[in-house]
Amino acid sequence: MRHGMKIGRTIAAAVFSLAISNFLSIGGQAQTPQRAPGAAPAKAPAAATSTGVVTANLLQLMRGTLYPASNVIFAAQNQDPAKIPPAKDPATASDPLASTYGQWLAVENSALAISEVANLLMVRGRKCANGRDVPLRNADWAKFVQGLRDAGQTAYKAAQSKNQDTIVDAAGTLSEACSNCHDKYREKPKMEDRCM
Ligand code: HEC
């Protein structure tokens, strides 16, 4: 089954993850210790965030990394990477599948790139395009990022197997990992409501 047809499963996963995040936030409130009057409000527990030099906002990061890398995985659903001919000049090809590091190797490397970009989604100091901070303090953000990291690993293993049925399933898993987070933080009628 091609990933675009897995809408039912995607919605089910999104509803489930919403239920989990509600559950977690209730649990979190119950555990908040009493604080003395006038004391600074307790900060939400920090997830495993990291430091780094930030040069792109979240929108630019998505467009520049996850978008092209995931398209390599999605393309492998429709065409057997082993049959993709090299470009006329593979060294300068802009399509990874037809490049020097092409075919299944391109699928492997794009899958690894996706898992690595998960780390960039946890770097402190990045803004969304609307100026809001990337919501690192929300527990479900880290959970969605982990889902992306895992989906990249699943796609990597599928690419190593060089089996197209396996990559079709992995592409479905990847597409769900993207939409689990987008459903909560991106799909808003107004840009200003993203990332909250
Ligand atoms: C942990 C959350 C999260 C995950 C996982 C995630 N995204 Fe995003 N993505 C966002 C948010 C939030 C935005 C909006 C960013 C903004 O407006 O600054 C976005 C925006 C985008 C955009 C730009 C949309 C536009 O308006 O132009 C693309 C493309 C995109 N994501 C692709 C992907 C793909 C492909 C994946 C999976 C391989 C993915 N994203 C996984 C949160 C996520």
Side-chain angles (χ1 to χ4, degrees):
M1 201 199 296
R2 298 296 183 258
H3 84 94
M5 295 165 70
K6 291 199 171 174
I7 287 172
R9 248 176 82 189
T10 305
I11 290 171
V15 169
F16 177 70
S17 61
L18 209 75
I20 290 272
S21 70
N22 286 343
F23 173 77
L24 286 176
S25 63
I26 291 164
Q29 269 165 22
Q31 286 170 32
T32 304
Q34 291 292 318
R35 60 188 163 92
K43 285 183 178 163
T49 58
S50 64
T51 54
V53 180
V54 171
T55 48
N57 69 29
L58 186 66
L59 186 80
Q60 294 167 325
L61 183 66
M62 292 276 158
R63 290 177 178 175
T65 61
L66 290 182
Y67 174 65
S70 62
N71 276 346
V72 172
I73 316 290
F74 297 143
Q77 301 179 103
N78 303 317
Q79 200 182 357
D80 183 349
K83 295 188 181 135
I84 295 176
K88 217 167 158 197
D89 180 6
T92 59
S94 54
D95 174 2
L97 288 156
S99 75
T100 308
Y101 315 106
Q103 299 192 332
W104 281 112
L105 189 58
V107 185
E108 281 186 27
N109 288 330
S110 296
L112 291 171
I114 289 168
S115 288
E116 290 287 348
V117 169
N119 294 325
L120 299 180
L121 296 180
M122 296 304 294
V123 171
R124 291 190 287 275
R126 193 182 310 283
K127 298 278 184 191
C128 296
N130 61 11
R132 287 183 198 281
D133 290 337
V134 171
L136 299 178
R137 288 188 173 282
N138 296 5
D140 61 358
W141 182 264
K143 186 169 66 84
F144 294 142
V145 169
Q146 185 58 42
L148 179 72
R149 188 179 284 122
D150 292 345
Q153 286 298 103
T154 301
Y156 176 55
K157 289 192 191 104
Q160 283 181 311
S161 79
K162 298 185 169 51
N163 175 316
Q164 232 195 335
D165 288 339
T166 317
I167 201 76
V168 167
D169 283 347
T173 303
L174 180 63
S175 155
E176 276 181 28
C178 309
S179 51
N180 285 344
C181 189
H182 290 163
D183 287 349
K184 166 100 187 263
Y185 289 109
R186 189 186 80 173
E187 312 307 352
K188 313 276 183 177
K190 285 182 273 172
M191 277 283 281
E192 66 205 61
D193 293 331
R194 285 179 168 186
C195 296
M196 56 180 280

